[in-house]
Amino acid sequence: MRNIIGKSVQGRDLVVHANFPLDVSPAAVSRNSTLLIGGTHGDERATVAILDNFHADWIDSGKLAEPVAILSLHNPDGYAADTRYNGRGVDLNRNFGHQWSPDADEPPGPMALSEPENRALHAFILAHRPAKIISLHWALSELDADGPQSAGLAARMWQSLTGEERRPYRLSAPKPAASICANPSYCAGSLGQWCGNGLLYPDGNRPAMVTLELPYHAHVHDRPETLPADHLDSVRELWRASPETYLEGVQGPVHRMLAAAIAWQHPWPVPGSGSQA
Ligand SMILES: [Zn+2]
């Protein structure tokens, strides 16, 4: 089912595809639903294509029974202009409400949730309370879990890959709450920070949140400890030359990670949530 959850700055539709009716009460459907998000940065083209293909190949085909919602293009204005930012130059991944900062490393907007794309996504998440949220980006080549409740989800995704398929990635340990934002300008106002550490549903639960950073090359063998400085340029160049080449090397394992995440059961209530400040 196709649902328009809002409009971009320039009036483009924000479209969520779901394999379950979004108009029923959240408690009935959302206990283990998964939300997949791509295209937060409009120039990270593969994140959109991989989710659109996942929708076609895995959801429309009825391969997955569990509830899934997909926002494959969070930033349609940025996508149209092939830029990281939205239609008024704001980085949507610095504009959410947890530790939003005017001094972020990218333009965060005049205040938290100033951008219509983020207000729409924020309202959607609060209304439907996905148990798991996975956001795709280029190209740090890692699985990044936000919040202690997310470690199991990231581990399950990692386990779904063969040893060979893991080589381009790194599994990043969830950051303990105390050390979050040791470098505050970097993660201030990100979607992952809000979903993994800021967001609390009315029943006291938090979703599991994983940022899936795609590889910077379709055929990178082992992820180096430090990424090449030009990793974003190289993935864009490769994409411009041949999207098929990139997708051929990357998409299959990503789709399997997503399917594994969708099947993973969130262990509500969140372990440790009673003892952590
Ligand atoms: Zn990104």
Side-chain angles (χ1 to χ4, degrees):
M1 278 153 285
R2 186 176 184 273
N3 307 269
I4 296 174
I5 64 162
K7 299 265 187 200
S8 68
V9 167
Q10 295 170 356
R12 294 185 172 90
D13 289 340
L14 303 174
V15 178
V16 167
H17 285 100
N19 64 351
F20 62 99
L22 290 173
D23 54 350
V24 301
S25 88
V29 297
S30 67
R31 294 308 292 176
N32 201 43
S33 72
T34 306
L35 172 62
L36 309 177
I37 300 165
T40 297
H41 293 137
D43 57 355
E44 298 177 1
R45 322 293 286 182
T47 65
V48 182
I50 284 174
L51 289 187
D52 283 341
N53 291 338
F54 186 76
H55 174 249
D57 296 347
W58 290 72
I59 308 296
D60 270 357
S61 67
K63 260 192 231 176
L64 295 172
E66 298 88 351
V68 187
I70 304 178
L71 174 64
S72 64
L73 185 48
H74 177 193
N75 178 8
D77 298 348
Y79 189 85
D82 199 15
T83 165
R84 176 181 178 93
Y85 309 120
N86 78 345
R88 53 182 171 221
V90 175
D91 187 329
L92 296 178
N93 209 31
R94 300 292 183 276
N95 181 247
F96 278 90
H98 187 65
Q99 302 192 358
W100 179 87
S101 166
D103 304 318
D105 62 327
E106 295 281 357
M111 56 192 262
L113 295 177
S114 58
E115 303 310 297
E117 298 87 352
N118 281 357
R119 285 199 300 276
L121 179 54
H122 184 265
F124 179 83
I125 289 171
L126 290 178
H128 298 288
R129 301 182 205 166
K132 297 158 283 178
I133 299 171
I134 296 169
S135 160
L136 271 60
H137 283 268
W138 261 351
L140 298 175
S141 311
E142 66 181 12
L143 277 72
D144 189 4
D146 281 300
Q149 77 283 7
S150 308
L153 176 59
R156 180 68 195 88
M157 293 167 71
W158 185 251
Q159 286 157 9
S160 74
L161 301 180
T162 65
E164 184 67 21
E165 288 167 346
R166 282 177 198 162
R167 289 172 64 188
Y169 293 98
R170 170 171 79 179
L171 178 60
S172 173
K175 299 160 210 63
S179 73
I180 285 166
C181 293
N183 175 4
S185 69
Y186 176 68
C187 51
S190 74
L191 175 69
Q193 284 293 314
W194 175 60
C195 293
N197 297 297
L199 171 61
L200 202 59
Y201 292 144
D203 61 4
N205 282 309
R206 294 185 194 281
M209 171 77 213
V210 169
T211 301
L212 172 47
E213 292 271 358
L214 300 175
Y216 61 88
H217 195 281
H219 303 291
V220 62
H221 292 306
D222 288 297
R223 187 204 189 280
E225 188 50 38
T226 306
L227 291 176
D230 64 349
H231 69 281
L232 267 175
D233 296 329
S234 55
V235 76
R236 287 198 193 99
E237 204 172 295
L238 181 72
W239 184 261
R240 269 193 293 270
S242 170
E244 297 75 22
T245 301
Y246 183 82
L247 289 175
E248 193 182 274
V250 170
Q251 178 166 273
V254 170
H255 279 188
R256 249 171 311 106
M257 279 194 271
L258 296 178
I262 288 162
W264 183 76
Q265 180 72 42
H266 189 307
W268 312 97
V270 175
S273 59
S275 58
Q276 292 206 343

